[in-house]
Amino acid sequence: MQQDDVISAIATAPGEGGIGIIRISGNGAVDIANKIFRPYSGNSLKECTPRLANYGKVVDENGKIIDEAICIVMYAPNSYTCEDVAEIQCHGGNIVMREILLLTYRMGARAAEPGEFTKRAFLNGRIDLSQAQAVMDIINAKTKASLDMAMDHLSGRFSDTIKVFRNDLLSIIAHLEASIDFPEDDIEEFDFEDTKEKIKLLLEKIEKMLDMADTGIILRDGLKTAIIGKPNAGKSSIMNFLLGQERAIVTEVPGTTRDSIEEYVNIGGIPLRLIDTAGIRSTDDIVEKIGVEKAYSYAYDAELVLAVFDSNREMTAEDEEIIKLIDNCSGNIIIIMNKIDLSADLNNDILINKLESCKHAKICGIVPMSAKKGQGQDKLEKLLSDIVYGGNVKIMEHQALCDARQSEILRQTAEFLKDSINTINIGMSEDFIVIDLRSAWEKLGEITGESLDEDILNQIFSKFCIGK
Ligand code: GDP
């Protein structure tokens, strides 16, 4: 269904670029474009062939030329939103794009909300919710593996799997309901065991997806990673080395990283959300103190902690502090022995001994590194891959991966399925089993958007960028 309020937005990234695109969508979008765009062919835009580029000029209400541009019109349902769409490709300057955008408003369009074009594509049934989310994931993909996962969702492969699950559920429900409605038709006793087996099979499939849920969430959102270590151990240098650019300030004065810096870095296809925390040591400097406190709290709830030690210096009380901190962290820990290009003055045995005495820390391995010479990344990549894929990268190619929202829905669906098995086990009647299974069916529909309330929908699309 084509919406009568026409929306308009700059669809290209903010800032200056070679070209910028203003996208207009809705019933009347082409009329609006027609008022402001004059093809050099002399035809009116409405006479031009849809989906072909028209070269011309953008003019305001007084006929003043604002820019030379290309305009493409697409008619419902053959467009991204399934509505009438006009796209004006103008020069990518902030002012010129803004002028054209304001002109579209004056001609009757209104400003599009974040994600509203994609929301319309969803509401018009062109894509389902998991595909709509994939559009945003493609834009935000941090690594090639993240992109592959998003493309898999956009292609509809993930939604198809969910739809098959829902159909399986529906046929079990239909079978149960038939036995409730027409008990006299049932010559044989209803086969509860068979129903239970079918539910168990579905539960297994969902649980298999849930096993890989963490991988999907990491690929999409990045692994929340804290780099900790005493001042001058080389935390900022390691972050810069991993980033491949000078982002954090590297200095020879201890305690100069006052606040924390967050960046994404791609390590062997795994996106790390890196937080470089201030050097951890006791200090009287108030600003640094706040930084140190922050560092502690980041480290406590990071999913991965890179604990950096300076192999060129003997162990100090500050290093011992770090080891104590590690023991209270809930995430995986990788120990980095930095500065291996210099003489090895840190006594490895003492360090390893102390690390072994950590009772709670999940230490995944020790990586000798030199941030300065760029050594050690291979081993770090290998360890990370083991953490994220559980040592089985290949599995990824055939496995549908889900994000945090989807995995929560799957988890709740699994609970409903377990309830239904319980209901059968305690000998309750078909009606009660159906209630559990219907809840599971409804829940699963939230992934594709078949059952979802307006608020959740708005919440999802509000995370999109404007113009998408
Ligand atoms: P942070 O306080 O832990 O962030 O430490 P920085 O990254 O600022 O590094 C402190 C000093 O150690 C700087 O002079 C760096 O150049 C030096 N440094 C860092 N990593 C290495 C390394 O692998 N080898 C050598 N030789 N020096 C390093």
Side-chain angles (χ1 to χ4, degrees):
M1 243 287 284
Q2 176 141 236
Q3 305 261 351
D4 279 333
D5 62 332
V6 179
I7 53 171
S8 169
I10 297 170
T12 38
E16 290 168 8
I19 51 172
I21 299 179
I22 287 105
R23 173 145 70 175
I24 316 166
S25 177
N27 192 9
V30 181
D31 292 321
I32 291 178
N34 189 38
K35 285 184 203 158
I36 64 173
F37 187 83
R38 305 265 154 78
Y40 285 133
S41 65
N43 292 333
S44 105
L45 200 55
K46 297 187 91 171
E47 293 163 336
C48 295
T49 315
R51 288 185 286 158
L52 277 190
N54 301 290
Y55 177 43
K57 58 192 175 188
V58 181
V59 291
D60 70 10
E61 40 287 69
N62 303 315
K64 187 172 158 241
I65 299 175
I66 296 182
D67 196 9
E68 282 206 326
I70 281 177
C71 184
I72 301 168
V73 297
M74 290 157 262
Y75 290 99
N78 299 315
S79 73
Y80 181 70
T81 53
C82 270
E83 301 181 325
D84 290 353
V85 166
E87 282 183 10
I88 299 173
Q89 301 181 0
C90 61
H91 290 103
N94 282 324
I95 304 294
V96 67
M97 285 193 287
R98 211 179 91 94
E99 282 303 307
I100 298 173
L101 181 68
L102 292 176
L103 194 52
T104 66
Y105 294 167
R106 293 203 296 276
M107 297 300 164
R110 69 158 169 84
E113 287 160 18
E116 199 171 1
F117 293 95
T118 308
K119 188 178 177 186
R120 287 187 173 195
F122 164 70
L123 292 173
N124 289 325
R126 198 176 75 77
I127 49 174
D128 68 29
L129 193 60
S130 96
Q131 290 173 306
Q133 279 187 282
V135 170
M136 184 170 61
D137 291 347
I138 286 174
I139 295 170
N140 293 336
K142 307 289 181 301
T143 71
K144 174 76 170 53
S146 327
L147 177 64
D148 288 348
M149 172 181 157
M151 266 316 295
D152 194 53
H153 283 219
L154 184 66
S155 73
R157 198 166 76 107
F158 179 68
S159 315
D160 288 347
T161 311
I162 300 299
K163 282 175 193 156
V164 170
F165 289 174
R166 284 191 101 209
N167 274 340
D168 289 353
L169 262 174
L170 213 53
S171 76
I172 304 174
I173 292 170
H175 199 57
L176 280 160
E177 282 180 342
S179 109
I180 299 167
D181 293 342
F182 311 104
E184 65 279 8
D185 289 358
D186 260 353
I187 300 151
E188 291 168 34
E189 275 277 285
F190 185 80
D191 193 345
F192 285 103
E193 278 310 306
D194 178 58
T195 305
K196 204 160 88 178
E197 282 314 307
K198 283 181 181 147
I199 299 172
K200 273 189 181 163
L201 202 70
L202 185 60
L203 183 60
E204 266 171 34
K205 287 181 192 165
I206 289 179
E207 283 181 333
K208 214 164 141 204
M209 267 188 160
L210 280 169
D211 284 345
M212 295 296 292
D214 285 350
T215 307
I217 295 168
I218 290 168
L219 289 182
R220 183 177 178 274
D221 302 332
L223 194 62
K224 191 174 171 193
T225 306
I227 304 182
I228 60 166
K230 69 181 174 190
N232 262 356
K235 298 176 297 297
S236 304
S237 304
I238 286 189
M239 178 147 173
N240 288 338
F241 162 53
L242 296 177
L243 283 169
Q245 59 180 321
E246 295 283 310
R247 171 67 175 82
I249 313 148
V250 183
T251 136
E252 287 179 31
V253 186
T256 37
T257 313
R258 291 296 175 77
D259 207 338
S260 35
I261 298 169
E262 200 178 305
E263 286 276 356
Y264 280 95
V265 49
N266 174 355
I267 307 291
I270 299 162
L272 300 192
R273 195 143 54 89
L274 269 187
I275 301 142
D276 175 27
T277 51
I280 294 176
R281 60 168 190 170
S282 47
T283 169
D284 293 329
D285 180 320
I286 185 79
V287 182
E288 205 186 321
K289 222 171 192 160
I290 296 169
V292 171
E293 275 163 22
K294 259 196 187 170
Y296 270 77
S297 71
Y298 274 131
Y300 289 142
D301 60 34
E303 292 156 314
L304 174 72
V305 175
L306 301 178
V308 184
F309 292 88
D310 186 341
S311 65
N312 181 235
R313 295 220 188 131
E314 281 181 29
M315 190 129 162
T316 60
E318 289 167 323
D319 289 313
E320 302 218 16
E321 253 323 286
I322 298 292
I323 294 171
K324 256 196 238 158
L325 168 63
I326 287 173
D327 210 15
N328 286 311
C329 291
S330 53
N332 290 299
I333 318 272
I334 293 179
I335 306 292
I336 293 184
M337 303 281 272
N338 190 33
K339 308 196 190 181
I340 52 162
D341 54 298
L342 301 176
S343 62
D345 296 338
L346 179 74
N347 187 322
N348 278 354
D349 293 342
I350 296 181
L351 177 69
I352 289 169
N353 220 327
K354 291 206 182 282
L355 289 172
E356 278 173 354
S357 69
C358 289
K359 292 200 173 54
H360 312 289
K362 283 188 262 172
I363 298 174
C364 305
I366 300 180
V367 182
M369 271 190 117
S370 165
K372 196 164 203 162
K373 297 261 154 77
Q375 294 163 339
Q377 185 156 353
D378 291 355
K379 180 149 190 212
L380 182 64
E381 279 183 16
K382 168 81 180 64
L383 271 179
L384 273 175
S385 156
D386 287 349
I387 293 172
V388 175
Y389 300 117
N392 196 350
V393 184
K394 272 274 154 218
I395 206 169
M396 299 279 307
E397 288 165 17
H398 310 286
Q399 185 74 37
L401 295 173
C402 45
D403 66 22
R405 188 187 80 87
Q406 294 157 345
S407 79
E408 180 53 25
I409 293 171
L410 286 178
R411 203 189 54 71
Q412 292 178 32
T413 306
E415 285 308 312
F416 286 127
L417 292 181
K418 283 181 201 158
D419 287 349
S420 72
I421 294 173
N422 250 341
T423 308
I424 297 177
N425 284 344
I426 57 174
M428 304 278 278
S429 73
E430 287 96 325
D431 309 67
F432 292 97
I433 309 166
V434 166
I435 292 174
D436 295 328
L437 294 179
R438 278 230 170 262
S439 306
W441 183 80
E442 280 281 326
K443 198 68 256 140
L444 267 185
E446 290 182 15
I447 289 185
T448 49
E450 282 157 293
S451 43
L452 203 63
D453 70 52
E454 186 75 10
D455 284 351
I456 299 181
L457 218 80
N458 288 337
Q459 216 184 334
I460 291 170
F461 283 104
S462 68
K463 293 191 185 122
F464 275 60
C465 41
I466 291 184
K468 192 61 234 175

